[in-house]
Amino acid sequence: MASSPDPSVPGQTVTLTATVAPAAPGAGTPTGTVTFTFGDGTPAVTAAVSAGTATVTHAWAGTAGSPYPITADYSGDPDFNASTGTDTQTVGQGATGLSLVSSPDPSVAGQEVTFTARVTAVPPGAGAPTGTVTFDFGDGTAPVTAPVSAGVAAIAHTYASASATPYTVTATYSGDPDFAPATATAPHTVAAGAATTSTTVNSAPDPTVTGQAVTFTATVAPTPPGAGVPTGTVAFDFGDGTATITAPVSGGVATVTHTYVSAAGSPYTVSALYSGDSNFSSSSGTDQQTVAPAATLTTVTSAPDPSVTGQPVTLTATVAALAPGAGVPTGTVTFDFGDGTATTSAPVSGGVARVTHTYTSASGPLTVTALYDGDVSFLSSSGTDTQTVNKAA
């Protein structure tokens, strides 16, 4: 009884030969059959004896029972008695082949990459290796282990930057009882150019009024297939001729606050320019901000009050912006003195307009009205007061 090759590996075809010979002093050439059992639980196989030998082939699937006991049972024939022969077959771990590919390659910073390791039995071995594959991505991140299923292990990874491209990726197959460990390496390129971005900007509240604070938010996002969180700065131009303001990007967002002091240019075009960083390219976005004139409150006072016939009286109108508006209104205030004389207009300076009027007859109380005519940034309003004119001494 003999086997060849011995040892073998899982899946390798082994030839088993049983030689049947007469024991002395007998002579001749036995015929009949030989039944082979392989010691691995598979069904026995019977082969005819020809010229004193019977031959079969068998492949052991694994190493779990190695060395396997082999038995050859000769059936006998009319001239020769039955007999049995034994042998053992050693089955050791088979060699493995390991290939490693990545897709897409090249990628960009922040893009998800799939790494696939394919584990195969090297001929003459055959079968499907099991176990695990450990991937080292070459960028200093922790290795990741994935199971082998149907000869394949796959894992996804994202490179944060292109600083060390091309990265050397290593896949290490753990081996299993039937197949030996193996290692493979492959380069992966992360495109040196920065990933493109898009910048969007919005404001709140919108619309606002003159003097009201507005919060502008710029959101910077990678353009697919890029991914990740851009850093850097965003420069905001508010469209009203004031200086730009630069704010840092944190978590992909930059925020500033601005107050429009006039509604003259409304709606204003607001621009946000992202600076870019080592992994992400610059981009810009725009928005429109509507600024309406703010409401006002006009109050009027007189001095002296009361006065007497022929005495000059100073009338003062104070014009102020109502919250959430702010600022200093301009324009004119028209005064009606309540005595039937012609109205008088005076310019507003520093939020105040003043006129002097002399009442020519005793009366009272008279209603004095101050009408603020408004300007491009502030709405009109009016206020009243009373003036008492007594007889002169």
Side-chain angles (χ1 to χ4, degrees):
M1 175 74 189
S3 60
S4 177
D6 184 13
S8 62
V9 296
Q12 183 176 6
T13 299
V14 178
T15 300
L16 305 175
T17 303
T19 301
V20 184
T29 303
T31 60
T33 60
V34 172
T35 298
F36 296 84
T37 55
F38 308 105
D40 58 359
T42 58
V45 176
T46 299
V49 176
S50 175
T53 62
T55 301
V56 295
T57 60
H58 184 69
W60 279 267
T63 62
S66 181
Y68 292 93
I70 307 168
T71 302
D73 291 312
Y74 171 54
S75 62
D77 66 10
D79 299 319
F80 295 93
N81 291 323
S83 61
T84 297
T86 61
D87 193 13
T88 58
Q89 176 67 29
T90 299
V91 180
Q93 280 185 321
T96 50
L98 183 62
S99 63
L100 175 63
V101 296
S102 59
S103 178
D105 187 11
S107 62
V108 296
Q111 183 177 8
E112 186 175 86
V113 181
T114 298
F115 292 91
T116 303
R118 190 173 299 275
V119 188
T120 57
V122 174
T130 60
T132 61
V133 172
T134 298
F135 296 84
D136 186 322
F137 305 105
D139 59 356
T141 59
V144 178
T145 299
V148 177
S149 177
V152 173
I155 201 74
H157 182 69
T158 299
Y159 288 94
S161 75
S163 60
T165 193
Y167 294 93
T168 298
V169 184
T170 303
T172 303
Y173 170 56
S174 63
D176 66 13
D178 299 327
F179 295 95
T183 299
T185 61
H188 180 79
T189 300
V190 179
T196 59
T197 61
S198 63
T199 297
T200 56
V201 58
N202 58 66
S203 58
D206 184 16
T208 55
V209 296
T210 304
Q212 183 177 4
V214 185
T215 298
F216 292 94
T217 302
T219 302
V220 185
T223 302
V229 181
T231 59
T233 60
V234 171
F236 292 84
D237 185 322
F238 305 104
D240 59 356
T242 58
T244 60
I245 296 179
T246 299
V249 177
S250 176
V253 173
T255 302
V256 296
T257 300
H258 181 68
T259 299
Y260 289 91
V261 298
S262 172
S266 180
Y268 294 94
T269 298
V270 184
S271 300
L273 175 62
Y274 169 55
S275 64
D277 62 17
S278 59
N279 296 316
F280 297 95
S281 63
S282 62
S283 59
S284 63
T286 61
D287 190 23
Q288 296 287 317
Q289 176 67 29
T290 299
V291 181
T296 59
L297 173 67
T298 298
T299 58
V300 58
T301 61
S302 60
D305 184 18
S307 61
V308 295
T309 304
Q311 182 180 8
V313 178
T314 300
L315 303 172
T316 302
T318 303
V319 185
L322 286 178
V328 182
T330 60
T332 60
V333 171
T334 300
F335 293 85
D336 186 324
F337 306 105
D339 60 356
T341 59
T343 60
T344 301
S345 294
V348 178
S349 176
V352 175
R354 287 188 178 88
V355 295
T356 300
H357 182 68
T358 301
Y359 290 91
T360 59
S361 64
S363 181
L366 299 171
T367 299
V368 182
T369 302
L371 174 62
Y372 170 57
D373 63 1
D375 63 15
V376 70
S377 300
F378 295 94
L379 298 175
S380 63
S381 61
S382 64
T384 62
D385 192 20
T386 58
Q387 176 68 32
T388 299
V389 181
N390 296 324
K391 293 178 181 181

